[in-house]
Amino acid sequence: ARFSIPVANVFGSNEGAQLCSAATDVPDPRTRARLFPRDGDEGWTDKRTANGGIYRLVDLETGERITAPGRIGEMRISGPATFPGYYERGTFNRANFDGDGFFSTGDLFELVEGDGGCRYVRFVGRSKEIIVRGGMKIAPSEVDAVINAHPAVLEAAVAPYADPRLGERICAFVVTRPSHQLTLEELCAFCAEAGLAKFKWPERLVPLDRLPRNATAKIMRRKLSEMLAEPEEPLAAAAGR
């Protein structure tokens, strides 16, 4: 704002995915920070992604193309910047490509209504990170975003822990700001105020000095899950769900 320089939001991968939300296409900075134009969606527009590719969103269970909001799908990509496969023993492993030549990225997105139509896509998370609680699929990044907005939180992330009845439950790992504390009860009340569905609320809270990250600064959710002790009965504040 000080120098009148708009910030662009970019999503990409080494395998060839690249989306860009720029001020020319998405003037509102809050929208630009969380959504991407639907450019490149095969069958919806003639526009391509930022690197000239196309993609489709596919239901992971049925393989059905997703063309309407309200459903989460895997992004599958194709185009001149898409890599030929993982190099193994003198050849390319193309096991992650479907019959139409689209690469299965493992990145989950959903279509979002806005500006008079279904013009945007929103990144939800990685398919390997999806938490399944009693058959309900929960994207950790959605819960992360809510928890990180709490004024007492410096940084936070959620991870699953095993449960004999529901399969998985959610634990919040929280680094609080200096001189701040946070209880599970307070965190659940904040989730309620934010409108987060009750089945997505964390049922355990573990305070940390810092979150474990890999060499590229990505949060290591598997490491968080490994930190948890044996499954325990959820705390009273989170019970009854």
Side-chain angles (χ1 to χ4, degrees):
R2 179 181 175 185
F3 296 102
S4 299
I5 299 175
V7 177
N9 184 14
V10 178
F11 178 94
S13 69
N14 290 333
E15 288 83 357
Q18 188 175 42
L19 306 177
C20 182
S21 192
T24 51
D25 299 315
V26 189
D28 178 61
R30 292 184 181 275
T31 301
R32 192 164 67 245
R34 63 188 186 88
L35 303 178
F36 298 94
R38 202 175 162 186
D39 298 350
D41 187 352
E42 183 191 43
W44 184 80
T45 176
D46 292 334
K47 292 184 178 180
R48 296 291 183 114
T49 60
N51 60 356
I54 58 175
Y55 67 85
R56 55 179 61 163
L57 300 186
V58 178
D59 187 288
L60 281 173
E61 295 181 355
T62 66
E64 179 185 1
R65 287 279 310 281
I66 294 176
T67 58
R71 295 172 61 189
I72 295 174
E74 179 189 40
M75 179 173 282
R76 297 185 180 179
I77 61 172
S78 179
T82 304
F83 80 142
Y86 295 106
Y87 189 73
E88 294 180 0
R89 299 178 183 178
T91 186
F92 290 106
N93 182 341
R94 292 181 59 84
N96 290 337
F97 287 79
D98 64 20
D100 294 327
F102 281 72
F103 173 69
S104 302
T105 63
D107 297 317
L108 302 180
F109 284 80
E110 65 177 351
L111 301 178
V112 178
E113 294 276 3
D115 296 339
C118 194
R119 297 185 55 245
Y120 300 108
V121 293
R122 182 178 74 88
F123 175 67
V124 174
R126 294 282 296 164
S127 58
K128 294 180 180 179
E129 293 184 346
I130 290 295
I131 299 170
V132 182
R133 181 189 185 278
M136 302 296 290
K137 295 182 179 179
I138 303 167
S141 58
E142 179 186 7
V143 186
D144 288 353
V146 172
I147 296 175
N148 276 286
H150 193 287
V153 173
L154 182 63
E155 62 174 355
V158 299
Y161 64 96
D163 180 80
R165 184 169 67 89
L166 295 177
E168 292 181 322
R169 293 183 187 264
I170 300 174
C171 178
F173 295 82
V174 177
V175 181
T176 56
R177 297 183 182 277
S179 303
H180 285 75
Q181 293 183 340
L182 184 64
T183 67
L184 179 62
E185 291 84 353
E186 292 169 339
L187 185 57
C188 287
F190 184 80
C191 290
E193 292 176 4
L196 187 67
K198 200 170 186 179
F199 70 88
K200 300 178 182 179
W201 296 0
E203 298 175 85
R204 293 174 65 179
L205 188 152
V206 174
L208 294 178
D209 293 329
R210 63 180 181 274
L211 296 179
R213 298 179 182 272
N214 62 17
T216 59
K218 292 181 179 179
I219 294 172
M220 302 170 66
R221 293 192 197 274
R222 181 176 297 179
K223 184 69 174 179
L224 291 174
S225 292
E226 291 173 355
M227 291 181 184
L228 297 172
E230 291 297 317
E232 66 183 65
E233 195 64 25
L235 297 180
R241 299 202 298 278

